[in-house]
Amino acid sequence: MTSGVSDPAFPFDNSYQRLPDRFFARIKPTPVSQPQLIKVNVGLAELLGLDATALASEAGVQMLAGNRLPAGSEPIAMAYAGHQFGGFSPQLGDGRAILLGEIVGRDGVRRDVQLKGSGPTPFSRRGDGRAALGPVLREYIVSEAMAALGIPTTRSLAAVTTGDYVFREGPIPGGVLTRVAASHIRVGTFEYFAAREDVEALRLLADHVISRLYPDLEQVDNRYLALLEQVVQRQAQLVASWLHIGFIHGVMNTDNMSVAGETIDYGPCAFMDAFDPKAVFSSIDQGGRYAYGNQPAIAQWNLARLAETLLPLIDADQQAAIAGATKVLDRFPEEFAAHYLSGMSRKIGLMQPHEGDGALVTQLLGLMRAAGADFTLTFRHLAEAVSEAVEPIVLQQLIGNEEGLAAWLQAWRARLALEAVSVEELQRRLRSVNPIYIPRNHLVEEVIAAAVSHGDLQPFEALLDAVLQPFDERPGRERYAAAPTPEQIVHETFCGT
Ligand code: AMP
Ligand code: MG
């Protein structure tokens, strides 16, 4: 830690705190005994106009741990409800997160700065308000990897250890993550007021979301229906982008779905190794509700819950409101399919849509599924198979089925010819969308085990370094590209409590 640096200044400009009192509870973080810095995200700090060196100083770490409040912060826990695994809880809320305030970044974007794991709030119910070190490290790595992959996500500004233990299966070190989001308003925030039949609050919330996230809608005729449409579109695009990289969110409850269209709440999330549309990692998702291939359907289900809350705003005539909302929701499958296909086409090097592209994608996925081929490696190694000149040895090992692969490659190469670009350009394209380094589950578990059992953060730094440049193959990082050995496979991750 650097000393002799003045208190970091946070240029807060808060807006959510101007909403009525029933939207949140004012609550300060509970101090921890001995905070120590794990990481400050220098690039994100710069984007927010924060001084990263000051954040890493002793005074900065006190703030990142919640021991000291930055000037201009107005700490609150946000109220929200949510459907969890299909069942409705009318009151959830920030039980272990405290929003410090909002900052307008150098890019002009307004973002929330929130401490996660900062102590109990009026919404904690029986929880301790804390976060264990493991989930803090997982969220830091996976959220920053998602950002590097170009997928909308909440970000991680910093992580600290608390010096205190939290009690889960046994005592484990605690941590606090500083989370940054375009907004922390969720589908569940709307459900909170709908459950209370508080139409005035719903209108204020919707107007707040429009002015903050969808300002173009302010002039539109039915702005609330248009809001639903925008959220549906962003969610369709988001879930498609998850499928493109083999990401499984793991706990797509409505309280974990942001109306800003960012990936939020990295609990039992995972990247798939062997391709299997039924893949599930969450230890509590017994029925496969949130399996890889089920994510589009669940997103649409969640959006229907959002639509229900907006009905009284959309039209005073309930039948008309339902008709309008249903029409918007019904477009989700089509929107999702379009994003899914264009992204999958790009993954096999196809930029100009042609008939039959979808079938090529489906056939490749069929081969991968039959072989249990590693999702990330298969797409990454396509670049070597663009030309017939070289034997695609890695692909052959991954797919096994030599005849099936040869037939597919032949059809694919014929289709690639229509792109009318050089082999080098095709390879560059393929490698620019198919990552080589992703935060694989076994690597994340290894990082957590080293940090929790003997305070070793070197594996954390090394994995982070690899996944922050996911598309650039760099020497010495072979182990971060490899699929897990059978002994290394992680079958489930536990909820981020
Ligand atoms: P999650 O599964 O992390 O999305 O959390 C679901 C709900 O449980 C939210 O209302 C959280 O604030 C709350 N929650 C999760 N963990 C804790 C905890 N350790 N203490 C208090 N509340 C918690
Ligand atoms: Mg949550």
Side-chain angles (χ1 to χ4, degrees), residues 437 459-470 474 477 480:
Y437 308 118
F460 168 78
E461 291 289 345
L463 179 57
L464 193 61
D465 170 77
V467 301
L468 287 182
Q469 278 169 259
R474 286 160 289 154
R477 290 170 181 81
Y480 298 108

Side-chain angles (χ1 to χ4, degrees), residues 80 84 91-97 116 120 123-131 168 186 251 253 255-256 265 267 495-497:
Y80 56 84
Q84 302 177 302
Q91 177 153 329
L92 294 168
D94 288 332
R96 54 165 166 165
K116 188 173 172 186
F123 303 108
S124 297
R125 291 166 293 157
R126 282 186 300 278
D128 59 3
R130 294 297 179 188
R168 299 295 183 255
R186 307 137 192 272
V251 57
N253 294 330
D255 52 306
N256 293 335
D265 264 341
C495 267
T497 52

Side-chain angles (χ1 to χ4, degrees), residues 142-153 237-249 263 266 269-275 281 292 295 339-340 343-344 346-347 365 368 374-377 379 430 432-440 470-471:
V142 182
S143 65
E144 288 306 304
M146 292 288 268
L149 289 163
I151 295 173
T153 177
Q237 191 160 7
L238 179 67
V239 175
S241 69
W242 290 352
L243 266 54
H244 294 150
I245 46 145
F247 180 75
I248 303 168
H249 182 284
T263 314
Y266 293 90
C269 61
F271 284 79
M272 197 164 50
D273 298 305
F275 178 60
F281 286 90
Y292 170 83
Q295 297 182 112
H339 288 298
Y340 177 75
M344 291 308 282
R346 279 195 303 278
K347 282 179 79 70
L365 291 175
M368 290 165 63
D374 186 85
F375 183 86
T376 304
L377 287 178
F379 284 103
L430 287 162
S432 73
V433 293
N434 293 313
I436 179 162
Y437 308 118
I438 52 156
R440 290 178 184 270
F471 302 108

